[in-house]
Amino acid sequence: MPWLPRLAVMVVGLIAANTPPVSAETVDELYQSQTIVTGQGEVNRQIGFKACLDAVLVRVSGDQRLPKRTEMAALRDKAGSFVAEFRYRDRLEGIPIHDEQGTHDRPHDLTCLYRPDVIDPVLAALGSKPWLGERPRLAIFLAAEQGTRQFVLTADDEGAAMRESFVNATGPLVMRIVFPEASLLSASKLDDQALRHADITTLDQLARKAGADQALAGSIVWSDKELGWIADWRLALNGKSYNWQVRGVSFDEAFRVAMRGAAQILSGNGQPE
């Protein structure tokens, strides 16, 4: 690929600046994004390019505020010009077309691939920068409550749907998570109530026992009034604790908010909004 020499120069420069080196595979994974579009037509492709531009800028930088910048309107108008390659995957692959449905009606995953030497200047123009290097692995300490049902999300107990949803939430930001074993929490006397009030420093220590770098702690409570879940999250970085919340959402969105907030903090972009 003609851009590989430029990538090699970029990586050497990062090493010289004492930044953790980034392999070509990691860079390739980082500088891409995905959205769902209907069919492969030009109109929907352009809509997809706009969504993918927003997603890749956040993915590379960790800064969740970028899509809200006023400058993004002009950038979205030429979103396709930033794309190096794109590809489709039929989400109904293997299912025959039926009734009056045509291929233009079928949902597709649109994956857009970008080059660092194109995206990095865009980030710089927005006052941001790439978040390179290996991203911390987070141990999820989550207390859940729905009516009379209360539990802690662990690697080996109930909550399989939540675990799967949480893992899915890591993909757009290239984050990594683990869930603690029930035995680890039991030995630490951390039930759902104790977990809500546990010191984040203590949870960071438990996170390392669980094979992670640090803790992402939270609680999620179903609210009939809000017609959804209320989720509170907390994470510590460099001796400072951060807290953020979302209300009236599905647990899928609650976990996406958790990962977006964690990325915002860990990338050095401050308090989640």
Side-chain angles (χ1 to χ4, degrees), residues 74-237:
L75 292 171
R76 292 187 189 104
D77 285 342
K78 54 181 180 180
S81 68
F82 301 113
V83 179
E85 301 175 40
F86 66 90
R87 57 175 178 256
Y88 288 103
R89 184 185 71 85
D90 187 344
R91 293 177 65 87
L92 300 179
E93 186 176 13
I95 301 176
I97 297 173
H98 55 279
D99 299 324
E100 299 301 319
Q101 181 193 54
T103 56
H104 62 282
D105 296 319
R106 292 164 72 94
H108 287 70
D109 289 326
L110 171 63
T111 300
C112 292
L113 311 178
Y114 302 86
R115 296 199 306 263
D117 62 352
V118 172
I119 292 300
D120 292 357
V122 175
L123 290 174
L126 293 169
S128 188
K129 61 183 180 180
W131 175 29
L132 300 174
E134 188 174 5
R135 300 189 173 185
R137 187 186 302 272
L138 301 176
I140 304 302
F141 294 94
L142 178 65
E145 178 180 336
Q146 186 174 23
T148 59
R149 179 182 177 225
Q150 299 180 19
F151 65 95
V152 175
L153 190 63
T154 66
D156 42 12
D157 282 342
E158 61 182 306
M162 284 189 172
R163 285 194 296 272
E164 180 181 1
S165 176
F166 228 134
V167 171
N168 290 340
T170 67
L173 292 159
V174 203
M175 301 287 281
R176 301 172 300 152
I177 60 173
V178 297
F179 300 98
E181 301 282 343
S183 58
L184 177 63
L185 296 181
S186 177
S188 304
K189 299 181 179 180
L190 282 177
D191 58 15
D192 64 294
Q193 292 301 318
L195 183 56
R196 294 172 191 269
H197 305 289
D199 182 76
I200 193 67
T201 302
T202 300
L203 295 180
D204 279 342
Q205 294 171 352
L206 286 177
R208 288 186 280 275
K209 292 183 180 180
D213 299 299
Q214 63 185 101
L216 171 60
S219 64
I220 185 168
V221 180
W222 175 261
S223 170
D224 290 332
K225 180 180 179 180
E226 299 279 354
L227 297 177
W229 297 88
I230 299 172
D232 291 275
W233 304 105
R234 54 197 177 105
L235 181 147
L237 180 66

Side-chain angles (χ1 to χ4, degrees), residues 15-80:
I15 295 172
N18 295 319
T19 303
V22 183
S23 71
E25 290 181 359
T26 302
V27 169
D28 287 345
E29 180 185 16
L30 189 61
Y31 285 82
Q32 64 176 267
S33 58
Q34 187 179 92
T35 191
I36 299 174
V37 296
T38 301
Q40 300 184 27
E42 179 65 20
V43 172
N44 286 334
R45 182 183 306 139
Q46 293 302 321
I47 294 172
F49 283 164
K50 294 177 181 181
C52 281
L53 178 62
D54 282 14
V56 76
L57 293 176
V58 171
R59 181 182 178 93
V60 173
S61 69
D63 191 348
Q64 313 302 305
R65 301 167 296 182
L66 295 184
K68 300 177 182 178
R69 296 286 297 270
T70 56
E71 299 95 324
M72 286 301 302
L75 292 171
R76 292 187 189 104
D77 285 342
K78 54 181 180 180

